[in-house]
Amino acid sequence: MNFVFINPPRKISANNIWRIINPENPPLGIALLSAIWDKQGHTSQIIDAAVLQLEIPEIISMINPSTDFVGITATTPEITCAIIIAKKVREAFPCIKIIMGGAHPTVFHKELVRDKICDMVVRNEGEIPVTELAKESPYNLIPNLTWRKSDNEVIVNPDAETYMDLNSLPLPAYNKLPMRLYHSALGAAKNEPSIGMVTSRGCPGKCTFCFSKMFGLKIRLMSALNIIEHIEHLQKNYGIREISFYDDTFTANKKNVAELCQLILAKEIKLSWSCFSRVDSVTPELLLLMKKAGCHQIMYGFESIDEKILKNINKGTNSAQFQKVVDWTKAAKINIRGAFMFGNPGETLDSMERTLAFAKNSGIQFAVFNITTPYPGTALYQDFLRKDLLLHQKWDIYNLAEPILKLDSVPGEAVRRYYYKAYRNFYLRPGFILRHIFSKHTFAELLFYAKAASRITGFLFRSIFTSKTYKE
């Protein structure tokens, strides 16, 4: 049997900072499923239409008519395009079974199958269902599967009883991907080639803006040894010099991170890397070890400086921790990229101004500002949907750059203005510019800063006119 896995294209509007800084990550989920499928004695193909920037007719032309299954993954901003692809596959190849998976299909699994957009939805993790499909198990016995019977009845099979042991998984099918095209987010890597990697699933946090059901609340880890073997594979076969660890909280298990760092040092692996973390998940000792092992940047999710807002979104941190962790990280000589959100429940003009002031004055090197986006499946989405306080459900612009929540404390256009204001006020400061001009840099870093300055400056000046358009 042959399985074609598709990562749909995604168009990002020019007024969105992610058009400038967006990483090109390998679609690790479907690359894993491809490897699992092939391990069962079948064949598969991956079409990464996102990184290849393919139009839908080009995608359809790449599908072999003898294919048995087409699987399409999608998050919320990609779902519209994914649905169009599914319909075009149906028109061109009516005998191919169409499967959808990913965060958005997991939430709307019944509707997608009921409306005959697809034949099946794989909910949550896909490794067990794909393994069972490869074994040609009866559909009714496959966990995490929503499917449609011949009489059009929609069947929702039970969830899998357990989550995957990440150490039991094969390497993703990197050989089926255009590896030369992948890179980290602008500003996240100081060496190229760079690539994103995920070493854990699950999150113990209960932030209202995150969809934790996909992978559960319990963190599951790749062992430090398995991570090392993965890194060595990427270095040997693709010349990778930098890894961006895109785990939600890379340092959630400090012991595993410490072991990884010690292995990097013991094996003298030449690697620079960055990661995501929470302000309550690091210690000064761990940060020093991470720096020694090649970590040069950490992105902390500060979100807001306002205590009420942090409580409203169930962040589980407080602003008193912020400056402490900034000082610890700077002492370890690791750069900080702060992540902030405007437009949370309880947001006001004053809270946005104070959050921006913290970003500018705390000493962090880089900042990313987003507009709070309530993705389907999150507690935030459910709460505002129930109260009829979602401004719209245009999935294409659930993109971190458009107001979605109807707040009684601040108008959406004011949130939008602060989104642009924050980037201008943070990155166009004379002190920020001079500090980066006169800091010591490698040639590779100088090239990066020149590229970053060119792209971000253009975005910032365009935003001046965009924000004027939205003034009340």
Side-chain angles (χ1 to χ4, degrees), residues 1-132:
M1 292 188 293
N2 186 54
F3 204 131
V4 176
F5 296 94
I6 299 174
N7 187 36
R10 178 183 176 188
K11 290 181 170 58
I12 304 176
S13 62
N15 66 336
N16 188 336
I17 189 65
W18 290 101
R19 174 91 171 253
I20 308 299
I21 67 173
N22 202 46
E24 291 292 355
N25 288 320
L28 295 174
I30 58 176
L32 265 171
L33 298 181
S34 175
I36 289 169
W37 183 262
D38 291 359
K39 197 173 180 180
Q40 297 293 322
H42 305 299
T43 58
S44 64
Q45 173 190 3
I46 302 173
I47 302 174
D48 189 353
V51 76
L52 292 171
Q53 300 182 14
L54 300 177
E55 297 295 332
I56 291 175
E58 294 176 290
I59 298 169
I60 303 303
S61 71
M62 295 172 71
I63 299 173
N64 188 319
S66 64
T67 294
D68 299 280
F69 296 99
V70 165
I72 309 169
T73 185
T75 60
T76 295
E78 299 150 355
I79 191 62
T80 301
C81 185
I83 288 172
I84 295 171
I85 293 170
K87 290 179 177 179
K88 293 299 182 182
V89 170
R90 181 83 73 203
E91 290 174 8
F93 311 106
C95 293
I96 292 178
K97 293 290 186 183
I98 301 170
I99 305 174
M100 300 187 81
H104 195 98
T106 289
V107 176
F108 294 105
H109 58 109
K110 293 179 183 177
E111 292 86 348
L112 289 166
V113 174
R114 179 198 66 201
D115 296 341
K116 299 185 179 180
I117 303 298
C118 58
D119 300 293
M120 295 169 251
V121 167
V122 168
R123 310 185 310 274
N124 307 322
E125 291 184 319
E127 289 85 3
I128 293 175
V130 166
T131 299
E132 293 302 318

Side-chain angles (χ1 to χ4, degrees), residues 365-376:
Q365 285 77 20
F366 304 99
V368 176
F369 303 94
N370 292 314
I371 295 178
T372 301
T373 302
Y375 290 110

Side-chain angles (χ1 to χ4, degrees), residues 24 26-27 46-52 173-183 195 238:
E24 291 292 355
I46 302 173
I47 302 174
D48 189 353
V51 76
L52 292 171
Y174 289 118
N175 59 308
K176 298 183 180 184
L177 296 171
M179 293 293 284
R180 71 191 184 282
L181 298 180
Y182 300 113
H183 59 80
I195 200 166
Y238 305 104

Side-chain angles (χ1 to χ4, degrees), residues 124-125 163-164 200-206 211-220 248:
N124 307 322
E125 291 184 319
Y163 286 100
M164 289 302 301
S200 64
R201 293 182 188 174
C203 180
K206 297 180 180 178
F211 180 39
S212 59
K213 185 180 183 299
M214 280 282 292
F215 300 126
L217 298 178
K218 183 179 178 181
I219 292 183
R220 291 162 288 137
D248 290 337

